Amino acid sequence: LLLSLLPPLSRIMPLQDSPEWPAAALDHIEQTGLQGRFFGPPDYGAYVGWRLRERGLCYVDTRGFFFPPLLLEDSHYVPQLGPDWRGRLDRVLDQYQTDYFLLETTGPRGELWRWLQPHVQPLYLDQQCVLLSAAEVRQGLAGNSMRVAQQGR
């Protein structure tokens, strides 16, 4: 426990890669030099913060007690298309000024990706996660809005 509290030592701890973490996506982010504000589920936020440090700012991580409830709710509800997900997503894009979305591609937290998928070409995609720019998310929202409008005719 003490070693994890000391930043120089905590970065060389064992278990630096786990199958649950988006390691390949972060490899891609580092190779392409991307940096900015990343939105995603709390466990992805913790991993982005650990790997990118100040180059990867996240809204929440696994230390939930540090964050305002609204941020925690957004991080859980937006990827799952949960309650008021569209209003929450607008807040994430506009108020939080998000640069990138790192989302799961499967399970309940993959719902937003599956909803956007027909309308975007992601920056990175594998079996576990997808990396999208804020512009790509906006493009996916516009594409789905057009589809919904056409179905209503």
Side-chain angles (χ1 to χ4, degrees):
L1 178 65
L2 181 60
L3 292 178
S4 68
L5 296 175
L6 301 171
L9 297 176
S10 68
R11 298 206 183 275
I12 57 171
M13 297 292 289
L15 291 177
Q16 293 182 10
D17 287 312
S18 171
E20 296 85 32
W21 298 334
L26 268 289
D27 290 344
H28 174 80
I29 289 168
E30 288 180 325
Q31 289 167 0
T32 56
L34 296 178
Q35 57 184 347
R37 295 179 188 94
F38 289 80
F39 178 84
D43 47 342
Y44 280 15
Y47 191 69
V48 167
W50 177 76
R51 284 276 303 263
L52 298 181
R53 299 181 199 142
E54 66 279 346
R55 295 178 326 229
L57 304 175
C58 295
Y59 300 101
V60 296
D61 61 30
T62 53
R63 301 168 299 163
F65 55 88
F66 278 7
F67 305 101
L70 190 60
L71 284 175
L72 289 171
E73 289 175 2
D74 290 351
S75 72
H76 287 287
Y77 289 144
V78 170
Q80 296 183 55
L81 303 184
D84 189 29
W85 73 271
R86 186 57 202 267
R88 293 173 186 279
L89 181 56
D90 289 342
R91 179 175 41 247
V92 168
L93 285 164
D94 299 329
Q95 184 179 336
Y96 302 166
Q97 300 178 348
T98 300
D99 298 307
Y100 302 100
F101 287 74
L102 185 59
L103 304 169
E104 290 183 14
T105 56
T106 62
R109 294 192 308 190
E111 288 295 323
L112 178 59
W113 162 241
R114 289 188 291 276
W115 193 77
L116 296 170
Q117 186 175 11
H119 306 285
V120 298
Q121 179 64 42
L123 298 172
Y124 175 85
L125 174 64
D126 64 23
Q127 297 293 345
Q128 179 183 15
C129 65
V130 62
L131 176 66
L132 302 164
S133 69
E136 290 167 328
V137 171
R138 290 180 194 280
Q139 177 184 339
L141 289 172
N144 273 308
S145 295
M146 288 177 36
R147 182 181 70 182
V148 169
Q150 290 171 347
Q151 289 173 347
R153 289 183 187 171

